[in-house]
Amino acid sequence: MTENNMNPLSTEMLYPVQNGIGNMVRTLFPESAFIINSLISICSLFLLVSLLPVFLIWLERKVAARFQARLGPMRVGYHGLLQSSADGLKLIFKEILKPEGADTFVFFLAPILPASATFLVMAILPFDHHLQVADPAGGVIYVIGISGLSILGILLAGWASNNKYSLLGAMRSGAQMISFEISLTLVMLLIVMLTGTASLREIVLSQQGTVADWWIFKLPGLGLIAFLMYMVSSTAELNRAPFDISEAESELTGGFATEYSGISFAMFFFAEFVNMFVSAGIAATFFLGGFLAPQIGVAFIDPLFAVIPGFVWFFLKTFFVIFLYMWFRWTFPRLRVDQLMYLEWKMLLPANLLLLMSGGFFMAMGGIL
Amino acid sequence: MDSYTLIGFSVFLGAIFVGGAISISKMLAFHSPEGDRKVQPYECSEEPIGGARIRFKVAFYIFALLFLLFDIEALFLFPCMKIFKAVINNQVVGISPTILFVELFIFIFILFFGLIYAWRKGVLTWE
Amino acid sequence: MKKQACCAYLSKVVMGFISLLRGMGVTIGYFFSPKKIVTQQYPENRESLQMMARFRGHVSMPHNEKGEHFCTACGICEKTCPNGTISVLATKDLSGRKVLGKYIYRFSQCTLCNLCIESCPFGAIVMGKDFEFAVYDREELIFTLNQTQENANG
């Protein structure tokens, strides 16, 4: 899908599939190759992020149905594939109401912020060795900063709708998201400590080798605990069940998005679904080896795995983590808001600090890495 | 700096995407007749009583403060984490691994102690 | 912090985690068993569709191979019905005994409450399993449930 080469300074010829378009552009237009390649990468990013929610919403509905012993959408298109497009089209034809007394500029700005945050983090996900729109050296800190933008969007949405319940829902949701962002930050810092670098591409490349070199399996048990903490924190960041107190249907009317109708309502949930993909992508990058093929050590399977291009592995691992998110959603009941806060401040945060100290301790003891 | 220039263009992608969708909707959607009832804030089909910007609990403020503290702590930890591996493997001249390790422990311990203090003081309870 | 509080806290964490895993095991069992799916694709499965035994479709009067039914026109069902859906029209046969002439059942006002079937002492009426009764004219929903030589329909 995103078949282009971002970095014009490298002359890597080893990956013909990924570098195909980039090399072609560079031979045809040597002077403006950088601009054209950048334009191609931005356009393909836009295309990916536009098509992803359509597929992800369909996937969510089918997976949810299978967990509940039913079938899901079957009528619209083959096995319901066109269902989410039909829903999106319907929403476009609905009127967007602005409630009286609402702050117009902020009201219409609020859905843009989570969507921008999605595009911004998608831009640095390493889909393959050379399929990244950009690779800043402080990638981890960048990710942590951008996730604050989504929180801001929700708070603004609650404030701008002239509605008490929206405001309360947005405040509670904001409190939940900022609490779990600390856990998220500390888990990512653990990975930075283990890897010695904050660039996402380097973090993936530090997991080269066999499957046992992935960070989830290193540091006896600690990698797994860190992965689980990441899953819990990112589920709470995404406002997904079991932490979806802000968008639960029967609590506080509609939460922060009560006054939004039609497509601007859909934009919040588009941002949530694509953010789910982004969080899963980051989990795959940090813990599951990103775009590296799993080398098991068996003689005739390894070359077969290595031939499959990296972005296929990246998508497979990301969709595995997305399946885990959906599994969590359809198994656990919703947490009350005080149970949420208890979980974060009294369980996850001390555990995170202990995890950091243990990680440092293991590294100092000659690295059981 | 190239990386950040490219990312800068991605900022506008979000605005284009959402702005485009909302504009298309405004052009295509059916407008029901204007009226008082249409734009009233929704309160489960009752008349809204009072203004919307109400006072809310001080617990929100306390959690925001705590978040700020721990986020700044994470920010301070970041450079330490980045050089930790190199220093521990004795690859950096001038920084002794034991001193870095002990300093890291002391920093995290002080913050851990702060968390325990807040816990015992009862500010971490929501209700 | 007391040691007991610490132990209680840690055991709560561990037991909680194990209970989460058990819940996840249940759901993944449902995911991987297509046999447990309860949805039926309705218009395509008309041949093989079997409604549940307690399903209440409409009142019907079963007849055996010779066309005989068990109704004796006692009228208990007509008195039990809460809104007068049933009308039992009795006639006298050749030897002067009361037999059933016409059993009128107005389906458009039946509430499917099952009282008539529970009160029939002879088991003459049962609940049928059909549910496709959409009509354009409400007069078509007045059924005559007993079969005779004249009205050879149910």
Side-chain angles (χ1 to χ4, degrees):
Chain A
M1 211 184 291
T2 46
E3 307 211 349
N4 53 67
N5 182 337
M6 173 264 147
N7 196 345
L9 303 173
S10 93
T11 52
E12 195 74 69
M13 293 307 210
L14 286 177
Y15 307 100
V17 172
Q18 297 91 315
N19 294 355
I21 297 183
N23 288 339
M24 194 168 64
V25 168
R26 246 174 281 128
T27 45
L28 290 177
F29 308 100
E31 300 91 40
S32 44
F34 178 60
I35 299 179
I36 297 183
N37 271 332
S38 314
L39 267 174
I40 294 179
S41 56
I42 300 255
C43 289
S44 48
L45 178 75
F46 193 74
L47 206 64
L48 177 69
V49 176
S50 309
L51 293 177
L52 258 185
V54 172
F55 178 67
L56 275 178
I57 294 179
W58 173 82
L59 188 70
E60 162 96 42
R61 287 176 73 162
K62 291 297 265 189
V63 168
R66 291 298 165 124
F67 274 123
Q68 297 171 335
R70 57 185 176 91
L71 280 175
M74 295 285 283
R75 299 284 170 192
V76 188
Y78 179 70
H79 271 75
L81 276 171
L82 294 177
Q83 177 77 48
S84 26
S85 328
D87 286 336
L89 259 182
K90 174 206 75 170
L91 279 174
I92 289 187
F93 288 108
K94 296 232 178 212
E95 182 181 0
I96 299 183
L97 287 176
K98 182 187 86 74
E100 65 177 344
D103 217 332
T104 321
F105 175 64
V106 182
F107 190 77
F108 286 110
L109 176 70
I112 295 183
L113 290 175
S116 293
T118 307
F119 279 102
L120 283 170
V121 184
M122 195 71 126
I124 68 165
L125 276 185
F127 289 96
D128 203 333
H129 286 273
H130 293 289
L131 286 185
Q132 242 180 323
V133 176
D135 186 29
V140 171
I141 287 286
Y142 170 84
V143 167
I144 295 169
I146 298 294
S147 57
L149 209 54
S150 309
I151 306 176
L152 191 61
I154 290 180
L155 285 173
L156 285 179
W159 178 261
S161 334
N162 193 22
N163 190 337
K164 300 185 202 49
Y165 299 106
S166 283
L167 183 60
L168 274 178
M171 284 293 170
R172 290 201 335 190
S173 171
Q176 166 196 328
M177 286 170 94
I178 61 174
S179 307
F180 282 90
E181 190 175 327
I182 303 173
S183 275
L184 207 61
T185 309
L186 289 174
V187 170
M188 291 198 205
L189 279 182
L190 174 76
I191 296 293
V192 171
M193 179 163 80
L194 293 175
T195 338
T197 166
S199 142
L200 290 188
R201 186 164 170 266
E202 301 294 323
I203 291 180
V204 173
L205 289 177
S206 70
Q207 300 175 63
Q208 269 168 341
T210 69
V211 170
D213 276 329
W214 291 355
W215 288 122
I216 188 177
F217 296 123
K218 291 248 191 107
L219 287 194
L222 284 190
L224 199 57
I225 296 180
F227 180 67
L228 288 172
M229 282 191 202
Y230 178 86
M231 290 302 290
V232 173
S233 310
S234 53
T235 317
E237 272 294 299
L238 294 167
N239 276 333
R240 274 181 77 82
F243 304 106
D244 60 349
I245 198 86
S246 64
E247 57 191 45
E249 284 85 28
S250 52
E251 326 246 346
L252 285 183
T253 59
F256 60 90
T258 311
E259 297 290 341
Y260 283 86
S261 52
I263 202 72
S264 49
F265 173 78
M267 284 298 128
F268 282 112
F269 295 96
F270 145 79
E272 174 184 322
F273 273 97
V274 188
N275 270 330
M276 177 169 74
F277 180 84
V278 164
S279 295
I282 292 180
T285 309
F286 281 9
F287 293 100
L288 295 176
F291 49 77
L292 297 170
Q295 306 287 100
I296 312 178
V298 180
F300 46 90
I301 299 187
D302 281 349
L304 193 67
F305 279 175
V307 159
I308 301 177
F311 57 87
V312 174
W313 287 115
F314 182 80
F315 276 107
L316 279 174
K317 293 174 191 177
T318 307
F319 279 110
F320 170 69
V321 180
I322 289 180
F323 179 73
L324 279 183
Y325 281 136
M326 293 184 186
W327 193 1
F328 285 175
R329 179 175 185 173
W330 300 107
T331 309
F332 302 131
R334 190 175 293 140
L335 264 67
R336 254 188 357 243
V337 69
D338 60 320
Q339 288 172 334
L340 251 163
M341 292 305 192
Y342 178 89
L343 175 69
E344 160 60 18
W345 292 98
K346 301 191 186 178
M347 285 188 156
L348 273 185
L349 186 54
N352 254 319
L353 293 172
L354 284 174
L355 189 74
L356 269 181
M357 290 202 256
S358 327
F361 180 72
F362 272 119
M363 278 182 78
M365 287 294 116
I368 315 182
L369 286 176
Chain B
M1 282 312 286
D2 292 326
S3 325
Y4 287 108
T5 324
L6 268 181
I7 294 177
F9 287 116
S10 314
V11 173
F12 300 109
L13 284 179
I16 294 173
F17 189 81
V18 178
I22 294 186
S23 331
I24 295 178
S25 178
K26 287 210 147 156
M27 283 189 283
L28 289 175
F30 167 73
H31 286 276
S32 50
E34 287 290 327
D36 244 357
R37 295 272 171 191
K38 187 166 117 162
V39 290
Q40 258 183 351
Y42 180 68
E43 281 200 16
C44 305
S45 315
E46 293 180 353
E47 297 284 336
I49 304 174
R53 271 83 193 221
I54 55 176
R55 294 162 65 178
F56 35 85
K57 291 200 285 200
V58 89
F60 289 107
Y61 172 70
I62 294 180
F63 280 106
L65 267 185
L66 282 167
F67 158 73
L68 194 64
L69 278 171
F70 284 96
D71 217 28
I72 303 284
E73 169 216 348
L75 208 57
F76 275 124
L77 276 176
F78 175 65
C80 178
M81 296 303 167
K82 197 149 189 272
I83 62 169
F84 195 79
K85 184 171 184 176
V87 168
I88 289 282
N89 294 336
N90 279 320
Q91 287 162 5
V92 176
V93 183
I95 307 179
S96 142
T98 13
I99 292 193
L100 179 67
F101 188 60
V102 169
E103 279 181 0
L104 180 68
F105 256 161
I106 293 178
F107 187 74
I108 295 184
F109 178 71
I110 292 179
L111 281 150
F112 197 71
F113 180 71
L115 178 67
I116 305 281
Y117 172 74
W119 190 335
R120 293 300 299 260
K121 275 292 208 186
V123 294
L124 292 182
T125 319
W126 178 260
E127 231 34 50
Chain C
M1 277 197 272
K2 300 189 251 298
K3 185 167 185 295
Q4 221 172 6
C6 278
C7 285
Y9 176 79
L10 284 175
S11 73
K12 189 159 81 166
V13 170
V14 172
M15 295 310 294
F17 188 66
I18 293 179
S19 71
L20 290 181
L21 287 179
R22 280 169 58 193
M24 285 172 72
V26 170
T27 15
I28 203 71
Y30 273 100
F31 187 77
F32 284 118
S33 27
K35 292 199 177 32
K36 287 197 190 154
I37 292 182
V38 294
T39 317
Q40 304 199 23
Q41 302 270 71
Y42 166 55
E44 288 96 16
N45 68 341
R46 272 206 190 104
E47 290 86 42
S48 59
L49 184 60
Q50 264 190 324
M51 299 308 289
M52 292 72 74
R54 296 191 296 173
F55 184 73
R56 297 182 190 171
H58 66 109
V59 176
S60 65
M61 191 181 285
H63 292 71
N64 62 5
E65 309 83 34
K66 290 185 272 190
E68 293 166 356
H69 55 80
F70 289 109
C71 182
T72 56
C74 61
I76 292 180
C77 55
E78 181 178 355
K79 296 189 186 75
T80 318
C81 178
N83 59 353
T85 303
I86 296 181
S87 295
V88 177
L89 303 175
T91 58
K92 284 197 165 37
D93 72 348
L94 298 169
S95 46
R97 274 184 305 187
K98 190 163 98 165
V99 289
L100 178 67
K102 231 176 164 203
Y103 190 102
I104 298 181
Y105 169 62
R106 298 175 194 87
F107 185 47
S108 56
Q109 62 185 72
C110 175
T111 58
L112 302 173
C113 63
N114 222 26
L115 285 173
C116 53
I117 292 162
E118 285 175 9
S119 61
C120 178
F122 305 103
I125 42 176
V126 294
M127 271 294 180
K129 302 282 181 274
D130 287 333
F131 49 87
E132 294 169 339
F133 285 111
V135 294
Y136 283 104
D137 182 10
R138 213 174 280 165
E139 304 294 318
E140 297 175 42
L141 287 178
I142 302 180
F143 298 130
T144 308
L145 289 189
N146 63 326
Q147 290 173 352
T148 57
Q149 271 77 4
E150 292 92 33
N151 56 340
N153 51 350

